[in-house]
Amino acid sequence: MTALTLSTAGAATLRADAIVVGVAKGAKGPVVAPGAEAVDKAFDGKLASVLETLGATGAEGEVTKLPVLSGLKTPVVLAVGLGPVPKKDATYDAEALRRAAGVAARALSGVKKAAFALPVEASDDVEAVAEGALLGAYAFTAYQGGEKKAKKGDNGPKRPLGEVALLGAKPRDKAHKAAADRAIALTEEVNRARDLVNTPPNDLTPESFAAVATAAGKENGIKVQVLDEKALAKGGYGGILGVGQGSANPPRLVKLAYTHPEAEKTLALVGKGITYDSGGISLKPAGHNETMKCDMSGAAAVFAAVVTAARLGLPVNVTGWLALAENMPSGTATRPGDVLRMYSGKTVEVLNTDAEGRLVLADALTRASEENPDAIVDVATLTGAMVLALGNRTFGIMANDEAFRTSIHEIAEEAGEASWPMPLPADLRKGMDSPTADIANMGERMGGGLVAGLFLKEFVGEGITWAHLDIAGPAFHEGAPYGYTPKGGTGSSIRTLVKLAERIAAGDLG
C-alpha cells in the first residue's frame, strides 16, 4: 500500500522523485493552481507558458511532465489537469481534486516518492487528494511475479507509487490529520475489496472469502459468524443452497457485526457474493462469462464498509451479511422449473438459473430483517438491464422509501460516486406471478433491473427502511484506467456506504 505523509516542507525544499502540481483550463490558456507557487517561481513565473508550449490545456485527466533545471529539490514536475478554473470565490471541487490526484499517482507508478502540491485549503481538500492518490496508486500484481522478474532484471510490472507527501496539509492540525487518517482507512479497505474482486475464482471460493472475513474480523474487533452448507440446510436457507448446490465449492452466509457502545442506530448491509457466475444450467453465452469473478463485488463492498466503520470507530452499529455461493452447472445444479423454499418460507419458481443473485440476497435480506435494523441496504452486481439503462459508470438506487433513496443518491454524489434513483413500478410485480410457487425469479424482460428490485422488496421485513444498489455497471472496469479508477475491480459503492454509516452515526438521517 502506498504510504501517505502530511508535509510542512515547502515545495522548493522537499526532496522527492517528482512533484505534482495542478493546472486548470482558463479562458486564455492553462492556469497554474494554488499550491504550486514555489514551483512556478522556479520557472521564473512562466510555468503556465511552458506548459502551454508543451501542449497542456488544463483539461481533466491531462498529464504533462517536464524536467526541473534549478530551484527545486525534485528532478521532475508532473502537471495534472483539474478541468475548468473555478468561478469567482469558488474552490476546486473535491471530485476534481480526487481524480487529478489519481491520474498523477498512476502516472508515477514505479516512483519511490512524490510530493503533491495540489490545492488543499480545507480538510476536505486534504481528504480528497489523499483518497485520489491512494486509490489511483492501486495495482493488482499478485499473479504477475513482478518482484521475481525485477530481481532477475526482467521487465516485470511497475510497483505502485511508494509514498505520497501531501504539501500544504498540516500534520498538527487535528482536522487535517483526521482527514488523512480517514482517507487511509477507507482506501486501504477499498483496495482490499478490489483485490478480492480481481482474485481468480479458483482461489476465491465462498469458503476462502469467508476465511478472509473471519481474519479481518479478528483484526478489527468485529464479531464474525459463518454458516456453512450444513448450517444453511438446517436453517432452511433454500435460496443460497439452491444457487450453490451445483458447485463443488459449497456456499456460505457470513455475518459481520460491528457494534459501538454509544450507538443508537443499526445499519444492516447485505452483499451479493457469487464468487463465480457461469449462469448455472441457464449457461451464459460465450463472451459473457470471462469476467464473472466480479459477481461478488457487492459482498466485497459490504465487507469493506463494515471493516472501515470499525477502523473509524463510528458510533453506529453496522452489520454485514455476505451471501456467498458459486453458480455452476452440474448434475446437482438447480434446474429451470425447480421450486426453492426460501428462508422466509416463501417458495420461488426458478425460471432462469442465471437470475441467481436475487435468490441468495432474498435469504440474507430476510435474515437481516429478523434483527430489526433501522435500515437495510443491499448491494449487488444484479442485472445487465441496469447497465443498459445507466451505462458502465453509474449504479442504480431503488428503495421502499423515497426520502431514503434521495439521501443515498446525495451521499453518493458527495462521496464522488455516480448513481441514479430508479423507481419500483408496482405494475411490474404481476409479471413474477407463478402458477406453481409464491413468486417466480423472473418477470417482464423490459425493465429487468426494476423487476429484480421488486423481487428483493418481497423479502424485506415489514416496516424496515430498505434500499437496493445495483452496481452491475461500475463494479468492474474493463477499459483503460481513468482518474483513480483502475482496470478491473473498482470498489464501487464502498465510499457511499461508509458515508451513509457516518450520516446515521451523526443523527443526520432519520
Side-chain angles (χ1 to χ4, degrees):
M1 181 71 181
T2 301
L4 175 74
T5 57
L6 305 185
S7 178
T8 56
T13 59
L14 182 70
R15 292 187 180 275
D17 299 297
I19 186 165
V20 177
V21 300
V23 56
K25 191 172 184 178
K28 298 181 179 180
V31 176
V32 177
E37 291 81 5
V39 179
D40 190 31
K41 184 178 180 180
F43 284 82
D44 296 326
K46 299 179 181 178
L47 179 57
S49 298
V50 173
L51 290 170
E52 187 173 21
T53 300
L54 293 174
T57 65
E60 181 183 320
E62 187 180 72
V63 172
T64 308
K65 289 184 180 180
L66 59 160
V68 176
L69 300 178
S70 63
L72 301 175
K73 300 290 186 181
T74 53
V76 174
V77 170
L78 187 146
V80 61
L82 289 165
V85 174
K87 295 180 181 179
K88 187 177 181 181
D89 299 328
T91 57
Y92 284 90
D93 177 72
E95 182 63 6
L97 293 176
R98 202 179 284 120
R99 290 180 180 177
V103 169
R106 284 194 294 104
L108 293 170
S109 60
V111 171
K112 290 183 178 180
K113 181 178 180 178
F116 279 60
L118 295 172
V120 286
E121 295 182 14
S123 59
D124 287 347
D125 300 332
V126 172
E127 187 173 325
V129 174
E131 272 187 27
L134 296 177
L135 291 175
Y138 172 82
F140 184 69
T141 60
Y143 292 80
Q144 294 179 341
E147 289 186 17
K148 292 181 180 179
K149 288 183 180 180
K151 289 178 181 178
K152 293 178 181 179
D154 296 332
N155 293 321
K158 288 184 178 180
R159 297 177 66 86
L161 171 62
E163 180 185 345
V164 172
L166 194 50
L167 304 185
K170 304 168 186 175
R172 294 185 180 181
D173 184 299
K174 290 184 179 180
H176 285 197
K177 180 66 165 56
D181 289 344
R182 181 187 185 278
I184 291 170
L186 177 59
T187 56
E188 284 183 352
E189 297 311 321
V190 171
N191 287 337
R192 172 153 53 177
R194 288 171 168 180
D195 282 347
L196 287 169
V197 176
N198 290 327
T199 298
N202 57 320
D203 282 346
L204 189 73
T205 63
E207 183 179 14
S208 63
F209 195 155
V212 170
T214 300
K218 290 180 180 178
E219 292 173 5
N220 295 283
I222 300 169
K223 292 183 180 180
V224 181
Q225 179 186 11
V226 179
L227 299 185
D228 62 14
E229 66 273 28
K230 292 181 180 179
L232 290 169
K234 185 177 180 180
Y237 293 87
I240 297 175
L241 286 168
V243 172
Q245 70 186 39
S247 173
N249 299 303
R252 297 287 186 270
L253 177 62
V254 180
K255 175 187 177 183
L256 302 100
Y258 160 68
T259 58
H260 191 282
E262 299 175 13
E264 297 180 356
K265 300 282 187 178
T266 297
L267 172 65
L269 305 175
V270 177
K272 173 187 173 183
I274 305 300
T275 56
Y276 181 74
D277 182 20
S278 69
I281 297 296
S282 305
L283 193 67
K284 292 180 182 291
H288 289 77
N289 50 19
E290 288 79 2
T291 60
M292 280 298 103
K293 64 181 181 180
C294 78
D295 214 18
M296 36 60 66
S297 296
V302 166
F303 165 62
V306 176
V307 175
T308 304
R311 290 183 61 174
L312 296 177
L314 301 182
V316 58
N317 298 328
V318 184
T319 303
W321 300 88
L322 315 182
L324 309 176
E326 186 177 61
N327 187 25
M328 297 290 285
S330 74
T332 61
T334 293
R335 295 152 291 219
D338 282 356
V339 173
L340 304 178
R341 186 170 295 278
M342 311 296 282
Y343 179 72
S344 67
K346 289 182 180 180
T347 54
V348 176
E349 182 181 11
V350 179
L351 298 180
N352 187 333
T353 63
D354 196 22
E356 85 299 330
R358 65 199 69 183
L359 298 175
V360 300
L361 286 174
D363 275 354
L365 283 168
T366 302
R367 179 64 186 88
S369 296
E370 289 182 338
E371 300 190 351
N372 199 31
D374 294 285
I376 298 177
V377 178
D378 77 71
V379 189
T381 48
L382 205 60
T383 65
M386 195 56 58
V387 185
L388 292 174
L390 298 178
N392 289 316
R393 298 190 183 185
T394 303
F395 62 77
I397 309 170
M398 285 154 265
N400 61 4
D401 182 281
E402 187 173 342
F404 190 51
R405 183 187 64 182
T406 300
S407 294
I408 293 178
H409 174 52
E410 292 172 349
I411 287 169
E413 184 176 11
E414 185 179 334
E417 298 196 282
S419 68
W420 197 251
M422 302 292 284
L424 289 173
D427 61 284
L428 291 178
R429 169 60 182 86
K430 185 172 178 58
M432 290 184 284
D433 287 347
S434 166
T436 308
D438 294 323
I439 190 173
N441 77 329
M442 292 291 289
E444 294 183 29
R445 180 171 176 268
M446 299 303 175
L450 312 183
V451 170
L454 286 166
F455 179 91
L456 296 177
K457 183 182 177 183
E458 296 273 331
F459 297 88
V460 177
E462 187 175 351
I464 297 176
T465 301
W466 159 80
H468 160 57
L469 311 186
D470 190 334
I471 61 170
F476 196 84
H477 179 56
E478 297 185 61
Y482 64 92
Y484 50 82
T485 300
K487 187 179 180 69
T490 65
S492 174
S493 80
I494 297 170
R495 289 179 290 144
T496 298
L497 296 177
V498 172
K499 195 167 284 289
L500 172 63
E502 289 173 326
R503 289 285 183 85
I504 293 175
D508 293 341
L509 280 176

